[in-house]
Amino acid sequence: MTDQTVDFDFDLPENCIAHHPMRPKDLAKLLYIPAQHGPEDKIIRDLPSFFRKGDILIANDTKVIHAKLSAMRGAAHIGITLDRPMGDGRWHVLIKNSKRLKVGDKLDFPDGKVYATVEELEIGGSGFIRFNVEGYAFDEWLRAIGQLALPPYIERPTGPTEQDEQDYHTIFSHHPGAVAAPTAGLHFTDDLLTQLDTIGVERLTLTLHVGAGTFLPVRSDNISDHHMHAEYGIITPEVAEQLNQAKAEKRRIIAVGTTSLRLLESAVDEHGIMHPFHKETSIFIRPGYRFKAVDMLMTNFHLPRSTLFMLVCAFGGIEKMRHAYQHAIQSGYRFYSYGDACLIEGRSV
């Protein structure tokens, strides 16, 4: 098993990066990657054909917030990207121009009413700040003053558009708190969910507030040296019980997105029992990991050298996923947040 980051690198042509979603959504490509055979080219509209009665489809119901803010510290412009709420009124943030700040500084925002105080600074341009408003008032202010923090690989020279405000939310969105969308969920439509309901697929949700760290590649040469970002997740007792019942009845569990999978694997114990979860997780899944919660994974195509590509290699097998990604590149699949998807069978299926 490899620990070298370079072994998860690959060449991705610029024209493979999707800057807009497919329209209509269900005509996006879907690469089916079975456990025992080579990949098969499908489209999202074919997705129901891979499901059967009793399957559990579990998706992330986090909702993307306007996490990108512009502040002033005196005459200095300071860029702030909210990363995650800490539960005590503080926010962990990524800071542009952080060298101009010190602990105790006041950050002013364009409306002149809301401000934040710098409470802690970290090496690498991150830290903790506290706003002077919380709760509903903060949520309303953020919607009015902030911007979507679209991934850096989506070209928006003048910032997110009104169409992005529609496109960058999944049909499952419910609980605000994510910086980035759980992008596998972007492919689902009302019609697709109705088809799955008709088949007898059971649908559940969990919540993992995707942080800004999800965009970051692994920069260390050895993946063991990579510091995984933390994200806040919730699995209710009711959902945990339903998942355990499904496992006992040997029904399949299909995770929509790596975020759903990561949270499920954070909450399951060594015996395969799912437990309620209400805290942060920084689980780092890489080849050699033994999966205990999920039978299939639907996910988009990920960045070279990323922890998410390492995760899919762990789930589907390194050589199988390398081959699948090469096939996707050669076949014109669209990568990243607004791109196409793959459906991967776990090696134990």
Side-chain angles (χ1 to χ4, degrees), residues 328-341:
I329 292 168
Q330 292 172 350
S331 302
Y333 278 70
R334 302 159 69 249
F335 276 60
Y336 303 166
S337 297
Y338 279 155
D340 300 313

Side-chain angles (χ1 to χ4, degrees), residues 9-72:
D9 201 0
F10 55 89
D11 291 324
L12 184 70
E14 284 288 325
N15 61 6
C16 286
I17 300 172
H19 298 285
H20 302 276
M22 177 62 69
R23 305 188 201 284
K25 288 183 178 183
D26 58 3
L27 290 185
K29 292 182 179 182
L30 175 70
L31 187 64
Y32 174 52
I33 307 172
Q36 303 301 327
H37 306 287
E40 301 175 19
D41 296 309
K42 304 289 183 179
I43 60 173
I44 293 296
R45 196 170 288 178
D46 299 321
L47 191 62
S49 68
F50 297 104
F51 287 81
R52 54 182 182 244
K53 184 177 181 179
D55 283 347
I56 302 286
L57 181 77
I58 185 157
N60 188 355
D61 65 6
T62 188
K63 186 173 184 178
V64 178
I65 60 174
H66 285 185
K68 192 173 182 180
L69 298 166
S70 179
M72 299 292 293

Side-chain angles (χ1 to χ4, degrees), residues 164-206:
D164 287 318
E165 291 285 349
Q166 303 298 319
D167 291 337
Y168 203 59
H169 294 280
T170 77
I171 198 169
F172 307 106
S173 295
H174 186 66
H175 298 291
V179 176
T183 54
L186 295 177
H187 296 286
F188 285 84
T189 63
D190 287 324
D191 182 61
L192 202 55
L193 295 182
T194 298
Q195 290 183 57
L196 294 175
D197 292 342
T198 301
I199 292 168
V201 173
E202 186 175 347
R203 293 193 278 118
L204 301 174
T205 58
L206 47 69

Side-chain angles (χ1 to χ4, degrees), residues 72-74 101-102 104-108 115-118:
M72 299 292 293
R73 198 277 299 150
L101 295 180
K102 63 182 184 298
D105 278 348
K106 179 185 174 187
L107 299 173
D108 293 304
Y115 64 87
T117 304
V118 178

Side-chain angles (χ1 to χ4, degrees), residues 263-282:
L263 185 55
L264 291 168
E265 292 294 334
S266 299
V268 71
D269 66 23
E270 287 300 314
H271 306 290
I273 305 299
M274 188 66 60
H275 297 274
F277 196 92
H278 206 300
K279 58 184 177 181
E280 288 189 334
T281 177
S282 55

